[in-house]
C-alpha cells in the first residue's frame, strides 16, 4: 500500500507512545495535523507557538511521555525556541516537529527558508532531519528516546514539505520498535553508606526535595525517608507535594535559617543553581557537607564540591538509604536544638505572614488573596503559577499535597508559561483524573504574554480557573491618581514608567467574547464567591480578576532574592 511522509510520521509517533500534539498549522504541516488525528493522536490547536511548546512540555512532565509541538517553517520554529530552551533547562521531555521549506527551494530564497536543524541544536538534546520517508520512524524513535532517557529534555525533527508529501510503499519502511523504558540507575552502595553516616552524625541535617524527585515519581520513598528519619525537609518550588507542604517536618517558613545553618544537606533531585543560591555562602554554611543525588553525572560537583556525589534514580537510592538507617536504628531527635530553632523560626514567620493574610482592608495585598484562595481550592488541585511576586509569594501560601501538582516558571524563569501549562494540566486531568481542578494563578503582566489562549480553553471546553492578581504593573504598579498625574504631560513613551501597566485593566471581560461570565473582585467576600462559582464549571474556563494594591509587596527578606556574584 502506498503511503506519504505525513502518514508515516503520524504512525511512528503513535508507535512511540505519543498521545498529545499542540501546535499551529500552516504550510507545509496542515495535512500532517490531519494524519495525526487519523492515527488517534489528540491535536490541540493553540494561538501562539510558544504557548503550544509550553503545553507540550508540561504534558511531558505530567505523563512522563513527550508531548509534541507542531510548528510551521521559519518564524514558526523561531517562535518556539523559547519553549525549547525552557524544556531543556527545566528537564522536561518534549519533541518539536517543524515543517520546513522544500529541499529543492533551499539556497534560492524558498518560502520561510531557515537553517532550522542548526538553530534548534543549542536548545535540545537531539536535532535532525530524516533523509527519507523510510527513515522517519528511526529518527522518531531516537528523538523520543533521547527526550526521555537520563535527564529529560527537548528534541527537534525537521520535515521539508517535499519529504512530507513524498510517497512510498509501506513494505519498504523498516519496522521500528517502541523505545524501551529508560534504564534505572542504581547507586554505588558504598556511597549510600557514606551518605547515611554523614546524615546520622549531623547536628543540623536537612533534606532538600527537588523537581527530579517529583518527576521520577519517588514520593512514596521520600515520604518514608522523611518520616522514618525525623529529618527536616525543604522543597524546591516544583518539589512541592512530594512530601505535603503541610507536613510538620516541612520547614519552608524557616528556609533562610535552614540553608544557613545546616551542616549536612541531602539533595534529592535538586540542583545548586540560582534557586538554591548556588550552595555558597552567605546563604549556606561555608562548612556544609553536601550529599548530591542526581540522574545526571555531569551535574555532580557543579558550583560546589559535594562531600558525596551519587549518580542514581531517586527511588533506589532512597530505598537503600532507608534500609541502612533502619539497620542503624537511627532517628533524628525531634527535641534537638536544631528542631527547636527551626520550629521557633517557622512560628515567627508564620505569625508575620498571618498578620498580612488576615488584613483584608482594600485594596488587598497578596497574602490576603492567597490565604483566602487556599481555603476554597481543592487540596488535590493542580496549581499553575507565574509572575514575579504573584509566583514567589504563591509558592509559600498555596500548598501542594501531591507531587507534580505545581507548575510554574521553573529553572529558566520563563514568563508566559501559565496558560499553556494550564491547558496541558486540564487535558491531563480530563483524561486521567476527571475530578481534579486546575487553578492558574497569574500576575497581570504574566497573563499578558499568552492571554489569548483563553480562546483555546473555551474551544476545547477546559475548565481552568484563572485568577489574575492585578496590581497594574511589573513587580509593582501605581494608584490611579499617581498614574494619571505622571502621564499628564510630555511624550507618553518618556513619562510612563517602564514597569507600569494600565490601572485596573478589566481582563475578566475577555469572557464576554464567548458569552461567558468573568469576575472582577476587590474584596475577600467577592473573591470567595467568585471562586465557589468558578469551581462548579465543568466545561469552560473562568477569569477572576483580583484588583490589589499597586504597591503590595512581599514580607521583608533577610537577603535579596537573587544571590549576588562575588566576582
Amino acid at each position: 500500500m502506498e503511503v506519504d511522509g505525513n502518514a508515516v510520521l503520524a504512525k511512528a509517533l503513535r508507535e512511540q507512545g505519543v498521545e498529545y500534539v499542540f501546535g499551529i498549522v500552516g504550510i507545509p504541516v496542515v495535512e500532517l495535523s490531519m494524519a495525526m488525528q487519523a492515527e488517534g493522536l489528540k491535536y490541540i490547536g493553540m494561538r501562539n507557538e510558544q504557548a503550544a511548546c509550553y503545553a507540550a512540555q508540561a504534558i511531558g512532565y505530567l505523563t512522563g511521555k513527550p508531548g509534541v509541538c507542531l510548528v510551521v517553517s521559519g518564524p514558526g520554529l523561531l517562535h518556539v525556541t523559547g519553549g525549547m530552551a525552557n524544556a531543556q533547562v527545566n528537564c522536561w521531555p518534549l519533541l518539536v516537529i517543524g515543517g520546513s521549506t522544500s529541499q529543492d527551494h533551499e539556497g534560492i530564497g524558498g518560502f520561510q527558508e531557515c537553517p532550522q536543524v542548526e538553530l534548534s541544536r543549542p536548545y535540545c538534546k537531539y536535532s535532525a532531519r530524516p533523509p527519507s520517508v523510510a527513515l522517519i520512524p528511526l529518527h522518531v524513535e531516537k528523538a523520543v528516546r533521547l527526550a526521555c532517557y537520563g535527564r529529560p529534555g527537548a528534541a527537534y525533527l525537521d520535515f521539508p514539505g517535499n519529504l512530507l508529501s513524498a510517497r512510498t510503499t509501506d513494505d519498504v519502511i523498516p519496522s521500528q520498535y517502541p523505545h524501551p523504558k529508560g534504564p534505572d540507575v542504581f547507586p554505588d552502595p558504598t556511597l549510600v553508606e557514606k551518605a547515611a553516616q554523614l546524615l546520622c552524625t549531623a547536628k543540623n541535617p536537612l533534606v532538600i526535595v527537588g523537581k527530579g524527585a517529583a518527576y521520577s515519581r519517588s514520593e512514596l520513598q521520600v515520604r518514608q525517608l522523611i518520616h522514618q528519619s525525623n529529618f527536616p525537609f525543604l522543597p524546591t518550588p516544583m518539589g512541592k507535594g512530594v512530601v505535603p507542604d503541610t507536613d510538620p517536618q516541612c520547614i519552608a517558613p524557616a528556609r533562610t535559617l535552614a540553608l544557613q545553618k545546616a551542616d549536612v544537606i541531602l539533595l534529592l533531585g535538586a540542583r545548586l543553581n540560582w534557586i538554591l543560591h548556588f550552595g555558597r555562602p552567605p546563604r549556606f554554611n561555608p562548612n556544609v557537607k553536601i550529599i548530591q543525588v542526581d540522574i545526571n553525572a555531569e551535574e555532580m560537583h557543579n558550583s560546589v564540591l559535594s562531600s558525596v556525589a551519587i549518580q542514581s534514580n531517586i527511588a533506589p537510592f532512597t530505598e537503600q538509604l532507608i534500609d541502612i538507617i533502619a539497620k542503624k536504628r537511627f532517628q533524628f531527635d525531634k527535641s534537638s536544638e536544631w528542631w527547636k530553632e527551626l520550629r521557633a523560626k517557622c512560628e515567627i514567620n508564620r505569625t508575620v505572614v498571618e498578620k498580612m493574610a488576615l488584613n483584608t482592608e482594600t485594596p488587598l495585598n497578596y497574602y490576603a488573596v492567597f490565604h483566602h484562595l487556599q481555603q476554597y481550592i481543592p487540596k488535590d488541585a493542580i496549581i499553575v503559577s507565574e509572575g514575579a511576586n504573584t509566583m514567589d509569594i504563591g509558592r509559600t501560601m498555596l500548598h501542594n499535597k501531591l507531587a507534580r501538582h505545581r507548575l510554574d516558571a521553573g529553572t529558566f524563569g520563563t514568563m508566559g508559561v501559565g496558560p499553556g501549562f494550564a491547558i496541558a494540566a486540564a487535558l491531563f486531568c480530563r483524561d486521567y483524573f476527571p475530578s481534579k481542578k486546575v487553578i492558574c494563578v497569574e500576575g497581570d503582566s504574566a497573563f499578558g504574554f499568552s492571554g489569548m489562549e483563553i480562546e483555546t480553553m473555551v474551544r476545547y471546553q477546559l475548565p481552568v480557573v484563572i485568577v489574575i492578581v492585578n496590581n497594574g504593573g511589573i513587580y509593582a504598579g501605581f494608584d490611579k491618581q499617581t498614574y494619571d498625574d505622571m502621564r499628564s504631560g510630555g511624550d507618553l513613551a518618556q513619562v510612563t514608567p517602564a514597569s507600569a501597566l494600565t490601572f485596573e485593566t478589566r481582563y475578566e471581560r475577555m469572557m464576554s467574547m464567548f458569552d461567558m461570565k468573568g469576575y472582577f473582585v476587590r474584596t475577600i467576600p467577592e473573591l470567595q464567591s467568585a471562586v465557589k462559582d468558578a469551581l462548579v464549571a465543568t466545561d469552560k474556563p473562568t477569569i477572576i480578576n483580583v484588583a490589589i494594591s499597586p504597591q503590595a509587596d512581599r514580607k521583608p527578606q533577610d537577603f535579596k532574592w537573587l544571590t549576588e556574584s562575588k566576582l
Side-chain angles (χ1 to χ4, degrees):
M1 186 176 70
E2 202 172 54
V3 291
D4 66 6
N6 292 306
V8 172
L9 175 53
K11 182 179 179 181
L13 291 168
R14 179 181 57 77
E15 289 177 340
Q16 296 305 322
V18 170
E19 292 183 68
Y20 301 92
V21 181
F22 303 84
I24 298 178
V25 297
I27 296 171
V29 296
V30 175
E31 292 80 8
L32 175 57
S33 67
M34 294 186 286
M36 288 171 165
Q37 289 180 314
E39 274 293 339
L41 302 180
K42 298 173 183 178
Y43 179 84
I44 310 299
M46 305 285 283
R47 300 303 301 264
N48 179 282
E49 285 98 348
Q50 282 191 358
C53 196
Y54 299 144
Q57 64 195 256
I59 208 74
Y61 174 68
L62 292 169
T63 65
K65 294 181 287 188
V68 167
C69 178
L70 177 65
V71 296
V72 300
S73 50
L77 187 277
L78 287 171
H79 286 172
V80 92
T81 52
M84 293 172 68
N86 189 71
Q88 185 73 352
V89 174
N90 224 25
C91 309
W92 287 0
L94 165 73
L95 173 57
V96 176
I97 291 176
S100 59
T101 192
S102 293
Q103 288 162 300
D104 57 327
H105 292 173
E106 290 179 341
I108 56 173
F111 176 65
Q112 296 182 333
E113 182 181 352
C114 187
Q116 295 175 187
V117 175
E118 292 84 356
L119 282 169
S120 300
R121 192 162 284 127
Y123 309 111
C124 57
K125 297 175 69 176
Y126 181 66
S127 180
R129 171 190 287 181
S132 68
V133 172
L135 290 175
I136 287 174
L138 180 149
H139 284 274
V140 170
E141 187 278 331
K142 184 172 183 179
V144 172
R145 173 162 43 89
L146 293 186
C148 295
Y149 276 24
R151 173 178 283 178
Y156 174 70
L157 291 178
D158 192 66
F159 290 91
N162 62 306
L163 179 61
L164 291 173
S165 61
R167 304 186 71 83
T168 187
T169 54
D170 56 9
D171 61 299
V172 303
I173 299 172
S175 59
Q176 191 64 43
Y177 54 84
H179 76 280
K181 178 183 178 297
D184 287 329
V185 180
F186 284 79
D188 180 339
T190 60
L191 293 178
V192 183
E193 183 71 48
K194 186 177 179 181
Q197 184 64 26
L198 279 176
L199 286 165
C200 292
T201 55
K203 291 183 178 179
N204 297 357
L206 177 67
V207 178
I208 297 180
V209 181
K211 178 175 56 193
Y215 181 77
S216 64
R217 288 155 173 75
S218 305
E219 50 264 36
L220 293 179
Q221 292 88 348
V222 175
R223 291 181 187 192
Q224 184 180 347
L225 170 66
I226 294 298
H227 295 144
Q228 178 177 306
S229 67
N230 289 339
F231 292 142
F233 79 92
L234 178 70
T236 65
M238 274 186 279
K240 284 162 59 69
V242 172
V243 185
D245 291 338
T246 52
D247 191 285
Q249 288 174 238
C250 178
I251 47 81
R255 182 181 191 271
T256 297
L257 173 70
L259 295 180
Q260 278 189 308
K261 293 196 173 182
D263 60 355
V264 176
I265 293 178
L266 171 61
L267 286 177
L268 293 176
R271 289 173 280 175
L272 291 176
N273 54 21
W274 66 273
I275 291 177
L276 287 175
H277 317 291
F278 314 110
R280 298 177 180 176
R283 302 301 292 263
F284 283 69
N285 177 349
N287 299 313
V288 66
K289 293 180 172 61
I290 302 289
I291 303 165
Q292 193 175 12
V293 185
D294 201 286
I295 191 67
N296 185 31
E298 287 81 358
E299 186 63 31
M300 304 306 175
H301 310 294
N302 192 31
S303 183
V304 299
L305 180 64
S306 297
S307 298
V308 186
I310 305 172
Q311 184 186 16
S312 177
N313 289 85
I314 301 298
F317 165 81
T318 309
E319 288 169 354
Q320 289 188 30
L321 182 62
I322 289 168
D323 288 344
I324 294 171
I325 289 176
K327 289 175 183 176
K328 292 177 180 288
R329 298 185 178 181
F330 170 83
Q331 278 193 324
F332 189 67
D333 185 0
K334 282 192 173 182
S335 64
S336 67
E337 289 301 315
W338 180 227
W339 261 118
K340 289 177 183 177
E341 195 172 0
L342 290 171
R343 289 193 193 101
K345 186 63 174 177
C346 284
E347 188 57 35
I348 290 170
N349 283 339
R350 286 193 187 105
T351 300
V352 172
V353 168
E354 184 177 346
K355 183 178 179 181
M356 300 174 75
L358 296 179
N359 176 11
T360 58
E361 294 180 3
T362 56
L364 296 167
N365 67 72
Y366 288 102
Y367 294 87
V369 171
F370 292 142
H371 172 74
H372 291 89
L373 179 61
Q374 176 68 51
Q375 291 181 330
Y376 281 84
I377 62 177
K379 304 305 180 192
D380 66 344
I382 294 180
I383 299 172
V384 179
S385 184
E386 64 168 332
N389 289 339
T390 297
M391 180 178 68
D392 292 341
I393 299 171
R395 284 170 172 169
T396 66
M397 299 293 292
L398 299 176
H399 297 148
N400 290 101
K401 180 182 178 182
L402 301 170
R404 299 172 299 282
H405 279 57
R406 180 181 175 87
L407 307 173
D408 68 23
T411 311
F412 210 36
T414 308
M415 290 294 99
V417 298
F421 283 4
I423 286 168
L427 289 165
F428 173 73
C429 291
R430 173 185 289 176
D431 291 346
Y432 292 96
F433 302 98
S435 64
K436 282 188 187 294
K437 297 292 185 180
V438 176
I439 314 297
C440 183
V441 185
E442 297 275 303
D444 51 335
S445 173
F447 181 72
F449 284 78
S450 306
M452 272 311 299
E453 297 303 334
I454 189 71
E455 188 274 332
T456 308
M457 298 177 194
V458 170
R459 190 168 6 117
Y460 291 98
Q461 298 182 331
L462 301 176
V464 177
V465 179
I466 300 175
V467 180
I468 300 173
V469 185
N470 185 353
N471 69 349
I474 301 172
Y475 299 112
F478 301 89
D479 63 81
K480 190 175 190 310
Q481 186 63 55
T482 303
Y483 180 80
D484 290 343
D485 288 347
M486 287 188 302
R487 291 162 47 85
S488 61
D491 186 331
L492 291 180
Q494 292 180 318
V495 300
T496 304
S499 63
L501 301 174
T502 305
F503 179 78
E504 287 193 357
T505 301
R506 298 297 296 270
Y507 299 104
E508 82 287 350
R509 290 179 178 170
M510 292 177 70
M511 297 308 302
S512 66
M513 296 189 295
F514 315 105
D515 292 326
M516 295 179 183
K517 183 181 179 181
Y519 302 84
F520 181 72
V521 304
R522 287 193 176 94
T523 69
I524 292 302
E526 290 172 345
L527 173 65
Q528 292 169 329
S529 176
V531 172
K532 284 192 288 186
D533 286 352
L535 289 172
V536 173
T538 58
D539 63 352
K540 60 184 179 183
T542 309
I543 294 177
I544 302 172
N545 184 13
V546 186
I548 68 167
S549 168
Q551 296 301 310
D553 203 352
R554 66 185 77 184
K555 72 178 182 65
Q557 305 294 302
D558 295 324
F559 289 91
K560 291 182 179 180
W561 70 275
L562 184 62
T563 300
E564 299 292 338
S565 171
K566 303 301 180 186
L567 300 180

